[in-house]
Amino acid sequence: MNLGDLGAEVIKVERPGAGDDTRAWGPPFAGTESVYFLSVNRNKKSIAINMKDSKGAKLIRELAAVSDVFVENYVPGKLAEIGLGYEDIQKIAPHIVYCSITGYGQTGPMVQRGGYDSIAAAVSGLMHITGHEDGEPVRAGVAMTDLATGLYTYGAIMAGLLQRYKTGKGLHIDCNLLSSQVACLTHVAANYLNCKIEGKRWGTAHGSIVPYQAFKTKDGYIVVGAGNDQQFVTVCKILNLPEVSKDSRYKTNTLRVENRKELIDILSTRFSEKATIEWLQLFEGSGVPYGPINNMQQVFSDPQVLHNGLVMKMDHPTAGRIAVPGPGVRYSDFAMSHPKPPPLVGQHTVEILKGTLGYEDDAIEELLRTGAVAQHEVR
C-alpha cells in the first residue's frame, strides 16, 4: 500500500475464486467485502491466476520479467517447487528485487511453520510483556507484528531498489515476522541481554520511567509521561502536590522507579478527583506529554487527526464509498497519489494480460476457458 501511495503500480496475484484469505475475515462487511481486507489493500490491481497450472506459473514469470519488485509470502521452498523461487526468477529477471515475507525466515529449524501475527507475537516475547501487571498475556489491539514487518519490508524494498540503481543487479530480501518483532523489543531485549532482567507486563506503565502511564479520572483516563525531573516537578505543580516534588524519595527518575507503588498511589488518588477534560485543560501548554485514551469515534473527530488528513476515501465497485486510514507520512515537495480502491478478485486480469504482457484476445480467452486465469466482471 505504501509503495502504491508513492505511485507504484502494484499487482496482487490471487487464486481464482476465493482470492486472498483476508477477503473472508468478517464481519464486519461493507456489502459483501471484508472491511479487514478493504483496510489493507488500497492501490492494488488484482490478477487471478491458478499457479498450479503450468500456464499460470508461466504468466507469473512473464510478469516478473517486466516488474521491478517481486513480493511473496509462501513457506520457504514452496514457490521453488513450481519454478517461481528466487533462483528461478533471477535467471529471467536479474534486475528483480525479490522479497520473501515468512513467519520465521528462509533457513533454520522453524522455517516450515506457517506464520500469523499472534503466533509470532507469542514466540517473539511481545505477548509476554503485554497486558496488566498481574494479568494474563494480551494480544495488541491491532496486528503490530504484521505491521512492523510490512514497514521493515517497505524500507528494505526501497533499499533494494537503490542498490539495484547503483549496481544494476537485483537481490533477495528475507523479511519475517519473528525477526521483525524481536528487533522491536528494543530496551526490553537489551535489559535481558545486558543485565539478565526478565521482561514483564506493566499494563500502561513503563518499567524504566515513572510516572509514565494511564491514570483513571472521574470519567475516563489520561496518560501522562514525565520523561525528566523537571517534567515531574511540573506534573506535581499541576496536581497541586508540591510536597511530592520535594520528597527525597521522588527527586530523580531512578528513585521514582524504586518507589513506584507509593508515588503512583498518590498520583492516582489526585487524578481521580477531576474529569478528563479538566485535566486536559490543566496540562495544556505545560510542556508535559499527555493525552486522553480515545475510542474510535474520538480519534476520528480529534482536531489534530483531522488536520493531518489521515483518512483516505474512495469509491469501491461493490462496497460503495469507503474510508480507511492512510499513510502517516507527508512530503514537502510532492503529494501522495490519489488512492485507488481495493480490487475485486481478478478485477484487472484481462487489463494486465493485455496492457502489461501484450496478450491478444484469443490467447486471453484460451487462458480464461482453461481456468489458468479468471476475470471478475464488475456489474
Side-chain angles (χ1 to χ4, degrees):
M1 290 193 307
N2 287 332
L3 293 169
D5 287 330
L6 295 177
E9 179 184 15
V10 181
I11 298 173
K12 182 181 182 76
V13 179
E14 302 188 74
R15 64 183 184 275
D20 185 332
D21 284 347
T22 62
R23 290 182 180 276
W25 289 6
F29 294 93
T32 58
E33 305 300 320
S34 159
V35 173
Y36 190 106
F37 176 85
L38 295 177
S39 74
V40 291
N41 279 283
R42 69 178 180 273
N43 300 324
K44 300 175 185 177
K45 295 179 179 179
S46 172
I47 183 170
I49 299 179
N50 178 6
M51 293 197 306
K52 295 179 180 178
D53 186 313
S54 60
K55 294 187 290 293
K58 177 175 176 286
L59 287 173
I60 293 176
R61 286 191 287 273
E62 291 173 356
L63 280 171
V66 297
S67 297
D68 294 298
V69 180
F70 186 112
V71 181
E72 60 90 7
N73 66 338
Y74 283 79
V75 170
K78 288 295 182 184
L79 286 186
E81 292 174 4
I82 55 174
L84 296 175
Y86 172 59
E87 288 77 13
D88 305 302
I89 299 300
Q90 185 189 34
K91 290 174 184 175
I92 59 172
H95 66 280
I96 203 78
V97 174
Y98 188 112
C99 183
S100 298
I101 306 174
T102 59
Y104 302 97
Q106 293 297 302
T107 59
M110 296 166 66
V111 295
Q112 293 304 309
R113 296 186 190 179
Y116 270 10
D117 172 88
S118 289
I119 313 305
V123 176
S124 69
L126 178 62
M127 274 193 194
H128 175 71
I129 59 173
T130 305
H132 290 296
E133 187 172 355
D134 299 317
E136 298 294 320
V138 171
R139 173 186 176 275
V142 294
M144 287 309 304
T145 303
D146 278 352
L147 292 169
T149 305
L151 290 171
Y152 268 118
T153 300
Y154 172 47
I157 288 172
M158 299 295 267
L161 290 170
L162 183 60
Q163 171 77 354
R164 189 187 74 186
Y165 176 77
K166 292 179 176 179
T167 66
K169 298 179 181 179
L171 73 165
H172 186 204
I173 297 171
D174 169 13
C175 293
N176 65 84
L177 300 179
L178 178 65
S179 294
S180 295
Q181 189 54 68
V182 171
C184 288
L185 293 177
T186 60
H187 70 281
V188 178
N191 288 347
Y192 174 76
L193 293 171
N194 295 285
C195 306
K196 293 298 180 280
I197 297 174
E198 181 55 77
K200 59 174 288 187
R201 293 182 282 283
W202 285 105
T204 65
H206 194 289
S208 300
I209 307 170
V210 176
Y212 189 6
Q213 66 179 75
F215 294 94
K216 190 169 178 55
T217 66
K218 262 189 176 180
D219 60 350
Y221 294 88
I222 184 172
V223 178
V224 173
N228 58 53
D229 296 337
Q230 183 53 53
Q231 287 180 347
F232 176 67
V233 171
T234 303
V235 169
C236 292
K237 183 177 180 181
I238 292 170
L239 297 181
N240 195 24
L241 294 170
E243 69 283 1
V244 174
S245 65
K246 297 172 183 174
D247 192 314
S248 60
R249 294 174 297 172
Y250 313 130
K251 279 290 186 182
T252 66
N253 180 68
T254 300
L255 291 168
R256 292 192 291 275
V257 171
E258 291 172 356
N259 296 287
R260 176 192 302 266
K261 187 180 185 309
E262 299 89 337
L263 176 58
I264 295 303
D265 284 347
I266 295 168
L267 301 182
S268 295
T269 299
R270 181 53 55 90
F271 273 112
S272 69
E273 295 172 0
K274 295 182 187 294
T276 302
I277 187 63
E278 295 178 83
W279 288 121
L280 296 178
Q281 291 168 349
L282 288 168
F283 273 92
E284 180 65 30
S286 66
V288 174
Y290 72 97
I293 294 182
N294 286 333
N295 60 28
M296 292 302 101
Q297 186 277 326
Q298 292 166 327
V299 169
F300 291 105
S301 59
D302 183 278
Q304 192 64 49
V305 172
L306 296 172
H307 173 81
N308 287 356
L310 292 171
V311 177
M312 285 184 159
K313 296 181 180 180
M314 57 205 91
D315 293 313
H316 187 274
T318 62
R321 190 72 165 167
I322 63 170
V324 298
V329 178
R330 296 294 179 269
Y331 301 88
S332 64
D333 288 4
F334 66 90
M336 294 287 186
S337 297
H338 184 72
K340 300 175 183 66
L344 304 172
V345 180
Q347 180 179 341
H348 305 95
T349 298
V350 171
E351 174 190 327
I352 293 165
L353 292 176
K354 276 188 176 182
T356 304
L357 297 181
Y359 273 61
E360 299 293 339
D361 289 344
D362 56 347
I364 294 173
E365 286 299 324
E366 178 64 13
L367 290 169
L368 290 167
R369 186 187 67 76
T370 59
V373 301
Q375 168 70 40
H376 194 295
E377 299 298 336
V378 180
R379 295 180 175 83

